Amino acid sequence: MAHTRAQRISKTLEKPHPTTTTLLPLGALMLAASVGVQAQTAAPADKSLATVTVKEQAEAPEGKDSVRATQTTIGKGKQQLRDIPQSVTVVTERLIDDRNLDTVKEALKNTAGITFLAAEGAEEDIRLRGFALQSTGDMFIDGMRDPAFYDRDTFNLDRLELLRGSASMLFGRGSTGGAVNQVSKAPRLIDTHQVDLTLGNHQYRRATGDFNIHTGDNAALRINAMSTTADNNGAGSSIEKKGIAASYAWGIGTRDEFAVSLYHLDNNNGMNYGLPWIRRTATSPASETALLPLDPTAYYGAASDYNAGGATMATLQHVHRFDGQGELKTQLRAGRFERDQRAGAVRLAAAALQPGGVAANLSNFGPGTRLTRGNHLKMQDMDTVHLQSDFSNKFEALGVRHELLAGADFAHEKKRVYAARNAAQGGMDVSKPGTTVGTPNDGATVNEAGRVLRTSSDFDAKGWGAYAQDLVQVAPHWKILGGLRYDSMDGSYNTFGIPANAPGPVTATGYRQKISVWSKRMGALYQPTPLHSYHFSYGTSFNTSGDTYSYSPQTVNTPPESSRNIEIGAKIDSSDKRFTTRLAVFHSTKLHERNTDPDLNIAVLSGKRHAAGAEIDITGRLTPKWEVYGSYMWMPSAKIDIGAEGAEGQGSRPSLTPRHSGTVWSTYQITPQLRVGGGLNFRSAQTPNRNPGWDVPGYVTADLMAEYSVNDSLTIKANLSNVTNKLYADAVYSGHYVPGAGRLFQITASMKF
């Protein structure tokens, strides 16, 4: 179906006018470096650094050349992974390309401990270590918050970094389960280009281009572009998306480096909102609830359903390098995000509508079983401005070695949500026709030309935070970490309603909340050799009532939730430094969880839950020809320690917390031209949200890959995903699930020039 941009995002005159936002100049945040600047002597005004020669990035065994990573930027400054006393999993561009991971959601599945809630589609509610990791609060691009909900693509990603455990000291609100940093492809001082063309079943067509142009002695332009279409993504959703990202940098490697970047992604995808669970027999207990025995590619939504949206961001960046090893990085980003989702959950029709008037169950399930279609709208737009400055430095003071991080960030976020008037309110009533199991893709459509949209709520928040962290070498093999952050946020939320049976005047209800929170981070590193690093860490995090950009009478006066994470781990390199093993045991606790007091009908911080387990990541080369990537989590202990009436039961295991989860991927270079690979993704049984009394079955899927280098310029790669066409629940909810993609076969031609 075709929907113009005007049709998808048209709004009535009830939409409030955005207010003008005043931007601070980039230099205003230089004060964030004051702590570190005092520890060094600034360069004289007439002194300039010699031009730094930047080596070609491909010389390092990372990115496109290896699944193993040794450094990260998720800790704000560029750091070696072995110097971070906390678990970090990195999905490099090599792994993204090998497994054809074209969305951030698919890339996240290659990290253990990740599960997805099938609430309102895509990656809106992610769980890590059993705790919510909101895509509106815990996702970052190049260290800056990426606050909107949209279907993120990987076409402009250099790598994906997952920091596990509490991280509010670095990032502010959220970050209970962890934080995800999307690292963008940056300009390089070299002329190199690559075009990838991918064809697959279900009419899958994807073209990406990566063009890097060396424009001057210290300047370069990089452009990445993408276009993807498919009749079906393997799980019932059509694909139609386009994206472009451009970044121009000058002064690369010199004292003052500048960059300007533009990013735009446009989605007009279909959407499988979810399929219902089914009982084995009419009298089966809840524990025998099962998945519908359907082809995962079958689509039962209306043909007129869609999930459209866009993301547009502009970023200015400045890096100033002081004498010694001091560096100040300042970024200003403005973003505009739009979402227009018109889909609905599919449900089993009532018994009276089923053949013979008997409720549907597995014993009578068949082509004649009737299904109903829901009508779930999600229409919103968001405007954001983020300004951030981070200072890093390594220096000697008071007889010890310091690695300092300090910074400040400011944010202004405005979100508007829209609803449709019904017929009595001057709009129209929409009713979708039902269908049967035997008639998927029946082409049923709904005419929405008469819809009248209104603003149902808006959210406006301003916040700022400042932090400082120091890693001190206190002995030849010991380092101690201490960090502290302060956050302040002022948010207002308004809801707009009209009489139920008349297009009368709009009524507004407003809520406001101010918060001020301190976050802490402590750790210790023991590094007896350059190959071994052992760590202990303790960190806190907080979640405000406005993490989802809304307040209510029950939550507006409730303080933020608080959490803590304790971890002991190790990072061990092989003697040739080609292979790394990461190990960790953790205990995460939400100490003050919001629950609704049944007598007062307000949210109170009376709840408590915890999750504990062990993790292992393995990355690198066992031999020069054999490369391995693996990520595994075992979480034997997870419990609602203190629950609330009507919520997940006290003493029960929290939802979306499988005991076992992970992935493994391995490739082998058979000849100089031929490389083959294969891997598994797996999750054990887990409980849907609200703990309905039954578990979702675990699953294992297998993938295969073969790659042939025709010459230095042309490579052909074939991928077969979900080899056995396994039916499984990829994202779960108490009322429905979204199936994982069925068997996919794709061939990619990569051309370098």
Side-chain angles (χ1 to χ4, degrees), residues 148-358:
F149 173 88
Y150 61 101
D151 292 338
R152 298 171 171 92
D153 196 277
T154 60
F155 78 96
N156 192 45
L157 285 192
D158 177 78
R159 62 189 182 275
L160 190 73
E161 304 170 329
L162 178 65
L163 178 68
R164 301 172 181 274
S166 299
S168 286
M169 199 291 296
L170 290 171
F171 299 109
R173 73 177 192 268
S175 308
T176 299
V180 177
N181 187 38
Q182 306 159 77
V183 181
S184 304
K185 295 178 180 178
R188 301 183 296 167
L189 298 178
I190 189 174
D191 286 314
T192 180
H193 315 295
Q194 180 172 330
V195 174
D196 292 351
L197 301 175
T198 304
L199 305 178
N201 56 337
H202 307 298
Q203 297 299 308
Y204 183 89
R205 304 287 186 270
R206 181 176 174 91
T208 61
D210 184 352
F211 309 98
N212 194 96
I213 305 167
H214 187 187
T215 61
D217 289 342
N218 302 300
L221 170 68
R222 191 163 186 178
I223 300 173
N224 279 270
M226 174 275 300
S227 176
T228 306
T229 60
D231 293 341
N232 195 308
N233 68 348
S237 299
S238 62
I239 304 174
E240 183 183 339
K241 58 183 177 179
K242 295 178 175 63
I244 188 165
S247 180
Y248 179 66
W250 65 98
I252 298 174
T254 65
R255 178 183 290 274
D256 286 290
E257 182 175 327
F258 297 87
V260 56
S261 303
L262 297 173
Y263 177 93
H264 179 72
L265 177 66
D266 185 78
N267 291 311
N268 190 15
N269 300 327
M271 187 174 188
N272 185 345
Y273 196 97
L275 297 172
W277 309 99
I278 190 169
R279 298 288 180 88
R280 296 192 181 279
T281 67
T283 59
S284 290
S287 59
E288 293 190 19
T289 302
L291 280 70
L292 285 178
L294 298 171
D295 181 341
T297 65
Y299 177 66
Y300 291 97
S304 53
D305 289 352
Y306 62 87
N307 182 24
T312 303
M313 289 171 277
T315 305
L316 299 176
Q317 177 181 297
H318 172 232
V319 177
H320 178 74
R321 298 180 175 93
F322 299 88
D323 284 347
Q325 300 185 64
E327 182 176 285
L328 178 66
K329 181 179 181 181
T330 302
Q331 298 180 89
L332 171 65
R333 178 177 295 153
R336 170 75 177 181
F337 307 90
E338 299 168 342
R339 183 182 181 194
D340 185 1
Q341 174 188 298
R342 308 191 186 189
V346 173
R347 293 286 190 266
L348 293 165
L353 300 177
Q354 298 292 353
V358 179

Side-chain angles (χ1 to χ4, degrees), residues 15 72 100 107 123 135 203 284 288 329 352 364 372 400 457 501 679:
K15 174 180 174 180
T72 178
N100 270 9
E123 67 221 25
S135 76
Q203 297 299 308
S284 290
E288 293 190 19
K329 181 179 181 181
N364 61 20
T372 61
V400 293
S457 67
N501 297 312

Side-chain angles (χ1 to χ4, degrees), residues 68 86 228 375 383 423 525 651:
R68 176 178 176 265
Q86 200 165 336
T228 306
N375 187 33
D383 295 299
L525 286 161

Side-chain angles (χ1 to χ4, degrees), residues 94-146:
R94 168 84 156 200
L95 186 63
I96 290 173
D97 290 346
D98 274 0
R99 302 194 80 163
N100 270 9
L101 308 175
D102 59 3
T103 67
V104 168
K105 181 179 179 180
E106 291 300 315
L108 284 173
K109 291 179 186 177
N110 284 265
T111 62
I114 289 284
T115 54
F116 297 91
L117 179 72
E120 296 172 337
E123 67 221 25
E124 186 159 14
D125 196 338
I126 311 164
R127 301 296 170 92
L128 174 60
R129 289 183 172 178
F131 295 92
L133 194 159
Q134 297 285 346
S135 76
T136 56
D138 298 318
M139 304 291 289
F140 299 82
I141 297 178
D142 301 323
M144 296 186 74
R145 194 178 298 275
D146 182 23

